[in-house]
């Protein structure tokens, strides 16, 4: 008998033993379980600006952790080796929430580097949201901070489960046309609802990767910036440069001048617009 996963827009109907589109959630005996729970593929102490977060504890370091799996299919994904992979193809190591929280605390006490908390990043963390929740609770108990780097393609129920423990998010707003989101396997309205709710409860910054010929029109950016401003004109927007990756290796990198033109367009409505990857 099939069981429907409720985590994101795809609502995968899974037979027992079957894994969802994200590669991380599986039907085990009629129950949808987080198969990538604690399966860590990437771990690094990063500058907070790399998330990217420019207006949140600037100059700090944060323990960044990733697993595998993603519920979108972006052809330009820079982390496709883990986000598009399954458990059987990766060399993942199990780390429990308490082990990760302890590690974060140890690195906090190292005066050379320091650490303000944990960032859930690299792959799409919300396909394994239960691990984020369980770890974030312990990290908060240690007096440290939790950062979520996400595509925002998750249900409001998942978001509400996490919001009490998350201090900041960087959310990908990949463009501002529904047809563009459909090409990536996503849904613009779901992401907009996610952003709007998150911005009510924690620090939020947004990132838009500008892909030539896909989401680089001034009209799209104007509509996007207007909408963000309607939530709060102080929400930072990172406009970043595309480089050839994954299934888009034959496309040219984004023209730098175009990035700055789009940044000026966004700046008519937003107080903080940052250009990245230039």
């Amino acid at each position: 008998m099939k069981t429907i996963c409720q985590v994101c827009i795809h609502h995968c109907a899974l037979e027992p033993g079957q894994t969802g589109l994200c590669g991380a959630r599986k039907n085990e005996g009629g129950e949808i379980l987080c198969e990538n729970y604690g399966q860590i593929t990437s771990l690094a102490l990063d500058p907070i600006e790399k998330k990217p977060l420019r207006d949140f504890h600037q100059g700090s370091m944060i323990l960044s952790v990733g697993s595998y799996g993603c519920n979108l299919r972006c052809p330009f994904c820079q982390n496709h080796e883990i986000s598009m992979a399954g458990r059987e193809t990766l060399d993942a190591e199990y780390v429990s929430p308490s082990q990760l929280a302890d590690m974060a605390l140890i690195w906090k006490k190292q005066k050379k580097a320091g650490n303000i908390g944990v960032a859930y990043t690299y792959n799409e963390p919300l396909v394994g949201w239960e691990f984020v929740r369980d770890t974030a609770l312990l990290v908060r108990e240690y007096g440290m901070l939790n950062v979520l780097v996400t595509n925002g393609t998750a249900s409001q129920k998942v978001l509400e489960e996490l919001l009490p423990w998350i201090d900041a998010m960087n959310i990908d707003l990949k463009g501002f046309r529904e047809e563009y989101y459909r090409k990536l396997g996503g849904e613009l309205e779901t992401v907009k609802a996610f952003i709007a709710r998150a911005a009510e409860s924690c620090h939020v910054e947004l990132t838009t990767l500008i892909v030539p010929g896909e989401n680089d029109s001034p009209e799209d950016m104007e509509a996007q910036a207007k909408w963000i401003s309607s939530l709060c004109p102080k929400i930072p927007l990172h406009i970043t440069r595309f480089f050839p990756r994954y299934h888009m290796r034959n496309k040219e990198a984004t023209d730098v001048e175009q990035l700055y033109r789009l940044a000026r367009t966004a700046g008519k409505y937003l107080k903080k617009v940052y250009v990245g990857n230039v």
Side-chain angles (χ1 to χ4, degrees):
M1 181 178 175
K2 290 183 179 181
T3 305
I4 297 175
C5 181
Q6 303 289 348
V7 167
C8 79
I9 59 170
H10 299 296
H11 295 108
C12 294
L14 305 176
E15 300 277 4
Q18 189 177 13
T19 301
L21 177 144
C22 66
R25 306 191 70 80
K26 187 176 183 179
N27 183 342
E28 293 278 7
E31 184 180 359
I32 305 295
L33 299 180
C34 172
E35 193 181 33
N36 73 346
Y37 189 99
Q39 298 296 322
I40 303 306
T41 61
S42 308
L43 190 69
L45 193 63
D46 284 336
I48 194 75
E49 290 82 1
K50 247 183 117 176
K51 298 307 97 191
L53 290 172
R54 282 283 297 272
D55 288 13
F56 183 79
H57 292 266
Q58 197 172 49
S60 300
M61 303 294 285
I62 192 161
L63 181 60
S64 300
V65 60
S67 183
Y68 63 84
C70 185
N71 54 1
L72 294 184
R73 288 296 178 266
C74 303
F76 44 75
C77 182
Q78 63 180 353
N79 289 327
H80 61 90
E81 294 92 349
I82 59 172
S83 65
M84 302 300 171
R87 184 174 185 173
E88 66 284 348
T89 62
L90 286 168
D91 184 21
E93 182 176 339
Y94 179 76
V95 179
S96 71
S98 60
Q99 286 173 320
L100 184 55
D102 287 346
M103 198 180 305
L105 184 61
I106 290 168
W107 285 11
K108 176 185 178 182
K109 293 176 179 177
Q110 289 180 352
K111 292 184 180 177
K112 239 182 178 181
N115 174 40
I116 63 168
V118 174
Y120 310 90
T121 180
Y122 300 134
N123 73 307
E124 173 47 54
L126 295 184
V127 300
W129 68 270
E130 296 94 336
F131 181 76
V132 175
R133 176 200 59 197
D134 296 349
T135 306
L137 189 153
L138 298 175
V139 168
R140 180 70 65 79
E141 286 181 354
Y142 281 156
M144 292 185 292
L145 303 174
N146 291 292
V147 168
L148 188 65
V149 182
T150 175
N151 61 32
T153 303
S155 71
Q156 289 285 305
K157 183 178 179 182
V158 166
L159 178 58
E160 294 296 339
E161 287 274 1
L162 293 177
L163 276 176
W165 318 112
I166 300 299
D167 299 285
M169 295 189 199
N170 184 287
I171 305 168
D172 279 338
L173 180 54
K174 294 182 182 291
F176 214 66
R177 283 180 293 110
E178 193 64 64
E179 58 267 33
Y180 181 59
Y181 256 92
R182 283 199 293 269
K183 287 173 71 172
L184 307 180
E187 186 178 86
L188 175 59
E189 290 304 316
T190 293
V191 179
K192 286 170 65 178
F194 189 100
I195 291 168
R197 176 64 186 96
E200 293 174 355
S201 294
C202 68
H203 177 82
V204 166
E205 301 191 21
L206 305 176
T207 296
T208 301
L209 179 74
I210 302 299
V211 182
E214 299 288 347
N215 64 342
D216 58 347
S217 77
E219 294 79 15
D220 284 359
M221 183 54 68
E222 183 139 12
Q224 176 176 313
K226 277 184 179 178
W227 177 78
I228 298 168
S229 180
S230 73
L231 300 179
C232 177
K234 292 182 180 179
I235 293 176
L237 173 63
H238 300 258
I239 297 175
T240 60
R241 191 183 188 199
F242 161 86
F243 288 97
R245 293 285 188 276
Y246 195 33
H247 294 315
M248 280 193 167
R249 295 186 185 277
N250 295 325
K251 189 178 277 288
E252 293 292 320
T254 317
D255 178 67
V256 173
E257 285 306 311
Q258 177 68 352
L259 286 180
Y260 283 105
R261 283 193 290 269
L262 293 174
R264 287 192 291 272
T265 298
K268 293 190 293 183
Y269 306 96
L270 301 172
K271 297 184 182 301
K272 297 176 181 180
V273 181
Y274 303 113
V275 174
N277 291 351
V278 294

